[in-house]
Amino acid sequence: MTSPAVLCSAMQRHRALFKQWLLVSGRKSRASSAHLPMPPTLSKHNGQLQPRRRQFHWTTRSRSQDVEFTHVRYNVQRLGFAAVTTEDMMFFDSLLPGRVVTDPDILEASNVDWLQTLRGRSQVLLRPQTTEEVSQVLRYCNDRNLAVNPQGGNTGLVGGSVPVFDEIIVSTAQMDNIISFNTNSGVLSCQAGCILENLNNYLEERDFIMPLDLGSKGSCHIGGNVATNAGGLRLLRYGSLRGTVLGLEVVLANGMVLNCLSSLRKDNTGYDLKQLFIGAEGTLGIITAVSILCPRKSAAVNVAFLGCDSFEKILDIFKESKSMLGEILSAFEFLDYSCREVVCEHLKLRNPLQEAPFYILIETSGSNNDHDQEKLNHFLEKVMTCGLVTDGTMATEENKIKAIWALRERITEALVHDGFVYKYDISLPLERIYEIVIDMKNRLGVRAKRVVGYGHLGDGNLHLNIVSEAYDQQVLDSIEPYLYEWIAQHSGSISAEHGLGFKKKDFIYFSKPRAAVQIMQQMKAILDPKGILNPYKTLPPFSQ
Amino acid sequence: MTSPAVLCSAMQRHRALFKQWLLVSGRKSRASSAHLPMPPTLSKHNGQLQPRRRQFHWTTRSRSQDVEFTHVRYNVQRLGFAAVTTEDMMFFDSLLPGRVVTDPDILEASNVDWLQTLRGRSQVLLRPQTTEEVSQVLRYCNDRNLAVNPQGGNTGLVGGSVPVFDEIIVSTAQMDNIISFNTNSGVLSCQAGCILENLNNYLEERDFIMPLDLGSKGSCHIGGNVATNAGGLRLLRYGSLRGTVLGLEVVLANGMVLNCLSSLRKDNTGYDLKQLFIGAEGTLGIITAVSILCPRKSAAVNVAFLGCDSFEKILDIFKESKSMLGEILSAFEFLDYSCREVVCEHLKLRNPLQEAPFYILIETSGSNNDHDQEKLNHFLEKVMTCGLVTDGTMATEENKIKAIWALRERITEALVHDGFVYKYDISLPLERIYEIVIDMKNRLGVRAKRVVGYGHLGDGNLHLNIVSEAYDQQVLDSIEPYLYEWIAQHSGSISAEHGLGFKKKDFIYFSKPRAAVQIMQQMKAILDPKGILNPYKTLPPFSQ
């Protein structure tokens, strides 16, 4: 048992730490960041704040050229689609003059996924600018039985956005117009190829924000976000796209334009078809326009970064934050010590806190900074006093907030520098969420270079990442299907927010009953009877 | 032009009013209600606070017996379903001993809708208690080609919950068990027949609340709420059921149990089938269990009730409230003067404010009462000073909050006492939302006893209600399809939250393109090929 004297001493230490905190972060001083050391800028190389965006790293081209063809590595048989002919190319050239890409160097970036783990061999990339052009492309491809791979920013992590064979890539990159924004209702309508960060910048100038935020915001398209039902960093506060997306315009496989681009918050007239396309990963239609409900930009944003010595305590801190921060809590993220190692080692980020087994990032967003800081201070005092937190820092200035966020957001990027990444995106009941990281560490031992766990704790979403020096089938066989069986046993989901894409489609039965998959296949058969849209993705074949 | 002196005098008057307000509602006094007169209790008859629930009023049985058969009034032809035989009754009796109802007096309440405008002629009501029993009932009915009418609390307003002919009524009334509640995640799982108010009471004891709240909370079932995608009073804050419902268990027409009762906040494994059943009004399957994400109960709730002299000013007040109340704004409702008249006349409610063309109800919910009252006071000071508001009162005590809410929530009930109600539930762009009320008043003139407009302004949702002494086909013909054409011209929805049910199904094309309706019909054909589930509802027949 811990003696009362030791407990008392620990409380005093916490209180002393907390006083330092308040001294520089309280109402009167209005300091923007508190506790030593101050959050660093993101990069020590050039002294400048790096953009938070996830970017393509094509600097070492030999690396992407090393990526094996998907159909070889995964032993996939090509389905009976037609091959692109000279006549087809003539049609595309006449429809999209100057926007038919066949240059192998440009195609390389669209054939290989961002993780550099998959490679298709498409020889044609189309860049339509209008819904009508998408419609004509699909009508033609459907008639000709040509397979199509819809592509947004190609930032997907399960191979949903790159071709497996020679599918024609239909890119939304040139469909990037904002259609309208209503400052009364906060409803934005735009084409599918708008980059998330650009939309957010547009809205911030008008005192609004996008209801979602991802590490890949600098590249990903809103159409792709909707097609993959992206979750990200703001879901805890603003909910999922299933609630915030108010309308979609979608082109079906046969070229028919389905206009459900409502900008109404409520519309109960028949079945809500747009929901079918949210998260369907381009297998049921190509999303060409989106209408989405955007919240007001918060006048005050604060971020606290905390050290914590056990996962159980993280859960206690989470409960406390929901109670004491309530309506201003906008993010509750966690990372383990291995994540800290990897971002510090590969991206040279500095961690402002002492070493700890776990770190928590808490963000608050509200309309009154004094109120928010008072709530946050009360909360921090409580979690320090109870010994739930061992160390912490707080930031209110934008660049310092970004620096803290980088420690969480750039983990994915840092891992790519570490070796071949086996990427898992899991939902589990909160109580069990970190067990699988420990289990996997024990199971893989020295065969794994690194096993890390981080994610959106507030949403019950764990990113489990395993790294080996290079792709290793034996390591993969040790992970799968063991991991999926573990998740199924604990009533979790094998894909929380990344989707199934190419890599996970065969494992769907670990999360969905056979009857449900059959209905999904029937939906697919109705909307895309020839199966030309994003084949080899999302659903296993009928025969299974 | 208004002279500066007049303006100055107006501002002084507003300031004076506002000071009175602060005197009794500010931080120090902690008074629960401010400004004269105080909100009254709901009923002067017995001096007791009436429950807020919408209740059946079967006191005047002759009234419900006056309701004409739906198939007669609307000239509907019965589809080719089988009729219930003695053998069928023997099967039901053996499956559900003591839970097969044939008593005409009990059936009366299930054959007639709450508005007393529709009447079916079902002779059998079944009360299963388990999913397995529902499954066996549907498998049997599907084999026998017997039509089925799923029924929850029978509080629907478009005839979705009552039979049109002799459909077998399958009630969820005896499926009212709570399955689980997780205090870490806030996820509640329960059977479909749980009454909304009971669930909310259960949660409040555990410091949580349901994410939806309706006037009919005392009768409506959560399964019915989900089947109709109910909106209600908390949607502005907690979003729609499409985001908060995490899982569903559904029995399909052929008896197959589709278990998608996930309690995970994120799950991107294939198409999100549960979305199909949300808002499908029981035409695609019977919902037997629901899992739903529940927010924490707010420590502080405040309500302001304001008078306003033009609809344009309401929009300005709404924008101001979103900016100044931000994260604590939990409701923004409005009603016009005619609504005030009808609740005062028929329910004897007292309006605490002076006469005004419009009234606004603003609710805030937050974790710190001092902070919330400060925000609310700043907001009220601003809208008073600008002359946007002419009069107001504020309440923080529960019974006084309920009394103010009653003025808004009991309008539907009051209207039923006023005569035959032609009920419309419309979404429109905020800027045009009240135009149609004025237009309809002018159009109908003395033929309408009353034309009233109220609703969830924060969601762009207007309830337009027209009353005549008795059902009058000529009045109806003057309203429809004129109203629907008007809505379509202004890109609105002919049903914001009530659904299409029986009454609105033929008007779906005013809100959805033909291509979309065709896809809906294909979905229906997949999931219910014989069409036994809630026939004559939601979708027009294939032939149209």
Side-chain angles (χ1 to χ4, degrees), chain A residues 233-308:
Chain A
L233 306 165
R234 290 179 183 161
L235 189 133
L236 178 71
R237 174 68 166 270
Y238 301 113
S240 83
L241 291 176
R242 301 205 171 272
T244 53
V245 171
L246 302 183
L248 290 181
E249 181 191 68
V250 182
V251 180
L252 303 183
N254 63 3
M256 181 189 280
V257 180
L258 192 65
N259 184 353
C260 297
L261 198 61
S262 161
S263 59
L264 304 167
R265 185 139 189 203
K266 292 179 175 175
D267 175 24
N268 277 352
T269 52
Y271 312 150
D272 188 5
L273 292 184
K274 72 170 183 289
Q275 297 292 342
L276 272 176
F277 303 96
I278 299 176
E281 303 182 283
T283 61
L284 296 179
I286 298 186
I287 295 170
T288 48
V290 173
S291 124
I292 189 164
L293 183 67
C294 303
R296 290 296 286 261
K297 184 179 174 183
S298 294
V301 176
N302 294 289
V303 165
F305 193 57
L306 311 173
C308 179

Side-chain angles (χ1 to χ4, degrees), chain A residues 90-133:
Chain A
M90 284 170 63
F91 171 80
F92 294 136
D93 270 328
S94 69
L95 179 68
L96 309 169
R99 291 179 281 128
V100 179
V101 180
T102 53
D103 178 336
D105 285 340
I106 301 175
L107 278 165
E108 173 79 0
S110 289
N111 266 317
V112 178
D113 70 322
W114 180 79
L115 285 171
Q116 304 199 350
T117 55
L118 297 170
R119 172 191 292 280
R121 50 179 174 83
S122 176
Q123 297 181 354
V124 191
L125 183 149
L126 306 179
R127 290 179 173 153
Q129 290 173 335
T130 65
T131 301
E132 177 54 29
E133 286 176 352

Side-chain angles (χ1 to χ4, degrees), chain A residues 266-268 283 427 431 493 495, chain B residues 184 266-268 427 493 495:
Chain A
K266 292 179 175 175
D267 175 24
N268 277 352
T283 61
S427 277
E431 301 76 16
S493 166
S495 182
Chain B
N184 281 327
K266 290 178 174 176
D267 175 23
N268 276 352
S427 277
S493 166
S495 180

Side-chain angles (χ1 to χ4, degrees), chain A residues 27 182-186 207-208 228-232 235-240 242-243 252 256-260 263-281 283-284 294 296 298 315 318-319 322-328 365-368 370-372 374-375 378 427-431 456 458-461 491-500 508 511-513 515-524 526-527 538-539, chain B residues 27 182-186 207-208 228-232 235-240 242-243 252 256-260 263-281 283-284 294 296 298 315 318-319 322-328 365-368 370-372 374-375 378 427-431 456 458-461 491-500 508 511-513 515-524 526-527 538-539:
Chain A
R27 276 193 193 193
N182 184 317
T183 53
N184 281 328
S185 62
D207 224 18
F208 283 79
T228 54
N229 188 25
L235 189 133
L236 178 71
R237 174 68 166 270
Y238 301 113
S240 83
R242 301 205 171 272
L252 303 183
M256 181 189 280
V257 180
L258 192 65
N259 184 353
C260 297
S263 59
L264 304 167
R265 185 139 189 203
K266 292 179 175 175
D267 175 24
N268 277 352
T269 52
Y271 312 150
D272 188 5
L273 292 184
K274 72 170 183 289
Q275 297 292 342
L276 272 176
F277 303 96
I278 299 176
E281 303 182 283
T283 61
L284 296 179
C294 303
R296 290 296 286 261
S298 294
L315 293 184
F318 179 52
K319 274 185 88 164
K322 286 214 291 186
S323 170
M324 295 184 72
L325 300 175
E327 67 279 4
I328 62 168
S365 309
S367 55
N368 182 312
D370 288 347
H371 291 172
D372 293 3
E374 195 180 316
K375 286 189 183 90
H378 283 161
S427 277
L428 279 170
L430 281 179
E431 301 76 16
H456 317 291
D459 314 323
N461 182 186
S491 307
S493 166
I494 64 155
S495 182
E497 58 177 12
H498 292 173
L500 296 172
I508 190 170
S511 285
K512 289 287 157 68
V517 177
Q518 277 172 0
I519 294 171
M520 294 178 204
Q521 289 166 330
Q522 288 174 301
M523 303 289 158
K524 169 78 176 170
I526 283 179
L527 291 170
T538 310
L539 297 183
Chain B
R27 276 192 193 193
N182 183 317
T183 53
N184 281 327
S185 62
D207 224 16
F208 284 78
T228 53
N229 187 26
L235 188 134
L236 179 71
R237 174 67 164 270
Y238 301 113
S240 83
R242 301 205 173 271
L252 303 183
M256 181 189 281
V257 179
L258 191 65
N259 183 353
C260 297
S263 59
L264 304 167
R265 183 136 190 205
K266 290 178 174 176
D267 175 23
N268 276 352
T269 52
Y271 313 149
D272 189 4
L273 293 184
K274 72 170 182 289
Q275 297 291 344
L276 273 176
F277 303 96
I278 300 176
E281 303 181 284
T283 61
L284 296 179
C294 303
R296 290 295 286 261
S298 294
L315 293 184
F318 179 52
K319 273 184 90 165
K322 286 215 291 185
S323 170
M324 295 184 70
L325 300 175
E327 66 280 3
I328 62 167
S365 308
S367 55
N368 181 312
D370 288 347
H371 291 171
D372 292 4
E374 196 180 315
K375 286 190 183 89
H378 284 159
S427 277
L428 279 169
L430 280 180
E431 300 77 16
H456 316 292
D459 314 323
N461 183 185
S491 307
S493 166
I494 65 154
S495 180
E497 59 176 13
H498 291 173
L500 295 173
I508 190 171
S511 284
K512 289 287 158 67
V517 178
Q518 276 172 0
I519 295 172
M520 295 178 202
Q521 287 166 330
Q522 288 174 303
M523 304 288 159
K524 170 77 175 172
I526 283 179
L527 291 169
T538 308
L539 297 183

Side-chain angles (χ1 to χ4, degrees), chain B residues 338-364:
Chain B
S338 302
C339 294
R340 171 203 154 123
E341 276 186 328
V342 82
V343 288
C344 294
E345 189 177 324
H346 294 291
L347 305 179
K348 312 298 176 203
L349 303 193
R350 264 187 60 207
N351 184 334
L353 303 187
Q354 298 159 17
E355 292 196 359
F358 295 97
Y359 301 95
I360 305 168
L361 188 159
I362 291 175
E363 186 191 75
T364 66

